[in-house]
């Protein structure tokens, strides 16, 4: 009888629950927890793989999109790129790593004050201590998670003088110096938006050059974490602003290889390197005209924009990013739509009909992988600004209160302790 009940739970009942509710149900008993973590169930319920896309806007941030291999798969996952469970409005994704997101309040795009580490699947989150004003309005953040027990956030500003680093071990923001190679600023620029990898590595593709600057935030010696790498030569004209870097499945950044693509109005190329910046090999090269012949639906968008909108927009074939686990898939934007391009099959599968992503660049794309189990946020030690109070029952930590009122109460408590 128990076997029949367990089968009914796994096949019919548990899949209908939202992840946040399933986390709480799992905390109610060891039996429910075991069912929620059964390999056959967990693989299809918890696992997510795709990219978040959130175009950078000067006035108001756009709602993020989550793209995966197909629109059918996205519907089956029931996963929406929705950050409304966080207490602040107008939040922007800064980085993604180990199934978690680093987000910040927009604040007119300058000097974020509130940053959050969250799990968009289980909707658990923690607020970081308030960040003091930065020395520059140009900045980005990198999140790294170590062994699932602690995390680090590195804020990088330009001009690149200091790093601001938060560790969950200390619950403090600390300034650290970074030394650049001699004459670095005379030859290279970091005032372009970088592509951020899941490994905690940032990549600045240099304008009008076949080079990129690489910074690895996980390096123990920050003084030696900046390097210059070569990119495949631009044999095709007009692709300078239409280039994209990505890490292979499992993350690069530590010498584990890179992926690269560039395109113009006539040619689309894909390259791979087993060692970061060395021995690039061309994996795919296809004429845009041939690709459109093979994919008439995509050709309609490229010629006329979104046919449903009756527009007459003309635009480029724009690579946005690589799928984080499927090495065959590249996400591509055309006027009025986003497609998943299969290298092996030369097919373009329509994912989204939208004009919201026409301004998106590879710097607005965040690869995201959630494993086949509920990822917990490492605790912030010795913090007086803990966002969530939690109780722990069984093997899953359960948030017992969330939202603005909880955050206000914790702030009041911290203020009363200081006084």
């Amino acid at each position: 009888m128990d076997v029949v009940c367990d089968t009914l739970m796994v096949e019919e009942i548990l899949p209908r629950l939202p992840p946040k509710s399933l986390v709480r149900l799992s905390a109610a008993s060891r039996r429910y927890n075991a069912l929620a973590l059964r390999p056959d169930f967990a693989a299809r319920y918890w696992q997510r793989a795709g990219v978040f896309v959130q175009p950078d806007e000067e006035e108001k941030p756009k709602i993020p999109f989550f793209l995966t291999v197909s629109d059918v798969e996205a519907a089956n996952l029931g996963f929406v790129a929705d950050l409304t469970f966080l207490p602040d409005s107008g939040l922007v994704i800064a980085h993604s790593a180990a199934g978690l997101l680093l987000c910040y309040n927009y604040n007119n795009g300058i000097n974020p004050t509130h940053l959050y580490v969250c799990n968009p699947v289980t909707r658990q989150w923690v607020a970081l201590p308030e960040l003091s004003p930065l020395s520059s309005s140009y900045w980005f953040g990198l999140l790294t998670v170590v062994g699932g027990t602690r995390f680090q956030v590195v804020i990088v500003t330009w001009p690149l003088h200091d790093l601001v680093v938060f560790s969950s071990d200390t619950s403090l923001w600390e300034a650290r110096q970074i030394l650049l190679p001699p004459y670095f600023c005379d030859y290279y620029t970091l005032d372009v938006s970088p592509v951020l990898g899941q490994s905690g590595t940032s990549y600045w593709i240099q304008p009008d050059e076949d080079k990129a600057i690489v910074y690895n935030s996980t390096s123990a010696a920050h003084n030696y974490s900046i390097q210059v790498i070569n990119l495949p030569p631009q044999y095709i004209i007009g692709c300078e602003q239409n280039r994209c870097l990505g890490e292979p499945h499992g993350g690069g950044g530590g010498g584990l290889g890179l992926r690269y693509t560039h395109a113009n109005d006539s040619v689309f190329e894909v390259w791979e390197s087993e060692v970061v910046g060395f021995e690039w090999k061309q994996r795919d090269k296809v004429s845009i005209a041939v690709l459109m012949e093979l994919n008439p639906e995509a050709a309609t968008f490229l010629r006329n924009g979104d046919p449903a909108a009756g527009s007459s927009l003309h635009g480029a074939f724009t690579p946005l990013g690589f799928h984080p686990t499927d090495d065959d898939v590249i996400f591509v934007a055309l006027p009025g739509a986003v497609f998943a391009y299969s290298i092996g099959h030369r097919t373009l599968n329509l994912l989204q009909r939208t004009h919201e992503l026409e301004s998106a660049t590879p710097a607005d794309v965040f690869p995201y992988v959630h494993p086949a189990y509920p990822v917990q946020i490492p605790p912030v030690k010795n913090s007086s600004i803990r966002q969530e109070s939690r109780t722990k029952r069984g093997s899953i930590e359960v948030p017992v209160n969330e939202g603005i009122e909880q955050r206000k109460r914790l702030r009041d408590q911290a203020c009363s302790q200081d006084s």
Side-chain angles (χ1 to χ4, degrees):
M1 187 64 180
D2 287 343
V3 174
V4 175
C5 291
D6 288 352
T7 301
L8 182 63
M9 287 282 291
V10 169
E11 298 296 334
E12 300 293 337
I13 299 176
L14 297 185
R16 302 175 188 272
L17 294 177
K20 183 177 178 179
S21 298
L22 184 55
V23 167
R24 289 175 169 171
L25 179 64
S26 299
S29 75
R30 293 181 179 179
R31 178 186 175 189
Y32 291 147
N33 186 64
L35 291 176
L37 298 179
R38 265 178 49 168
D40 58 336
F41 172 77
R44 67 177 186 268
Y45 183 89
W46 294 110
Q47 198 158 352
R48 309 284 192 277
V51 295
F52 282 95
V53 187
Q54 190 173 27
D56 186 17
E57 295 291 331
E58 293 184 359
E59 297 180 357
K60 184 180 179 181
K62 293 184 177 180
I63 297 174
F65 288 79
F66 184 75
L67 305 176
T68 185
V69 174
S70 71
D71 53 348
V72 175
E73 179 182 353
N76 290 338
L77 291 174
F79 185 45
V80 180
D82 181 8
L83 301 179
T84 56
F85 63 92
L86 293 171
D88 284 340
S89 60
L91 286 164
V92 178
I93 298 173
H95 193 216
S96 163
L100 303 177
L101 295 179
L102 173 67
C103 303
Y104 66 95
N105 63 322
Y106 188 66
N107 195 24
N108 296 322
I110 302 174
N111 285 330
T113 53
H114 299 129
L115 291 98
Y116 305 89
V117 174
C118 70
N119 184 332
V121 177
T122 64
R123 299 200 163 195
Q124 295 173 301
W125 56 274
V126 64
L128 304 189
E130 196 163 298
L131 181 64
S132 300
L134 300 174
S135 59
S136 171
S137 60
Y138 177 73
W139 68 276
F140 63 91
L142 292 166
L143 169 69
T144 54
V145 182
V146 182
T149 59
R150 58 189 178 91
F151 67 87
Q152 173 183 273
V153 174
V154 177
I155 302 296
V156 184
T157 62
W158 177 260
L160 190 57
H161 298 304
D162 294 313
L163 304 173
V164 185
V165 181
F166 173 85
S167 171
S168 61
D169 286 340
T170 64
S171 187
L172 297 174
W173 289 102
E174 298 177 352
R176 297 181 186 174
Q177 288 186 333
I178 181 170
L179 299 180
L180 300 177
Y183 310 109
F184 178 87
C185 296
D186 294 336
Y187 295 99
Y188 304 108
T189 178
L190 301 185
D191 60 357
V192 294
S193 298
V195 175
L196 305 181
Q198 288 192 94
S199 66
T201 305
S202 53
Y203 306 89
W204 290 268
I205 298 178
Q206 297 300 287
D208 305 321
E209 285 193 77
D210 298 329
K211 295 182 182 297
I213 308 302
V214 179
Y215 166 67
N216 182 5
S217 66
T218 63
S219 172
H222 288 283
N223 294 350
Y224 305 99
S225 54
I226 290 279
Q227 61 175 316
V228 181
I229 65 170
N230 294 316
L231 298 178
Q234 299 179 50
Y235 293 126
I236 60 177
I237 300 174
C239 70
E240 293 84 0
Q241 305 301 321
N242 208 7
R243 299 181 288 169
C244 179
L245 275 168
E247 295 176 344
H249 183 22
L256 300 179
L258 279 177
R259 309 178 71 197
Y260 171 83
T261 179
H262 57 209
N264 62 9
D265 290 338
S266 60
V267 181
F268 176 42
E269 296 183 348
V270 182
W271 298 71
E272 293 181 343
S273 171
E274 294 184 0
V275 180
V276 172
F278 294 94
E279 299 181 2
W280 288 99
K281 297 180 180 180
Q282 189 177 83
R283 181 178 176 184
D284 190 28
K285 181 177 181 179
V286 60
S287 161
I288 298 297
V290 171
L291 197 57
M292 293 303 106
E293 288 180 5
L294 296 173
N295 299 273
E297 182 181 30
T300 304
F301 283 91
L302 188 63
R303 288 194 305 267
N304 304 314
D306 186 351
S311 60
S312 58
L313 297 174
H314 296 272
F317 182 95
T318 306
L320 286 179
F322 295 88
H323 194 283
T325 60
D326 190 339
D327 290 340
D328 181 61
V329 174
I330 301 174
F331 298 103
V332 175
L334 275 66
V338 179
F339 291 80
Y341 171 65
S342 168
I343 298 174
H345 298 90
R346 296 271 172 90
T347 56
L348 286 162
N349 180 45
L350 178 63
L351 299 180
Q352 291 274 356
R353 294 174 179 263
T354 177
H355 290 284
E356 294 293 317
L357 300 182
E358 288 183 358
S359 62
T361 69
D364 303 318
V365 176
F366 305 95
Y368 179 81
V369 178
H370 191 283
Y373 56 86
V375 173
Q376 300 297 309
I377 302 175
V380 177
K381 298 179 180 179
N382 305 321
S383 175
S384 62
I385 196 169
R386 288 292 298 275
Q387 177 273 327
E388 292 179 336
S389 67
R390 299 171 181 261
T391 60
K392 189 171 184 180
R393 305 172 187 170
S395 60
I396 296 183
E397 291 184 341
V398 185
V400 298
N401 202 351
E402 293 177 314
I404 298 176
E405 293 303 321
Q406 173 73 354
R407 184 166 167 231
K408 287 180 178 179
R409 187 167 66 252
L410 292 177
R411 278 186 175 177
D412 292 341
Q413 292 174 359
C415 292
S416 63
Q417 291 173 3
D418 293 338
S419 62

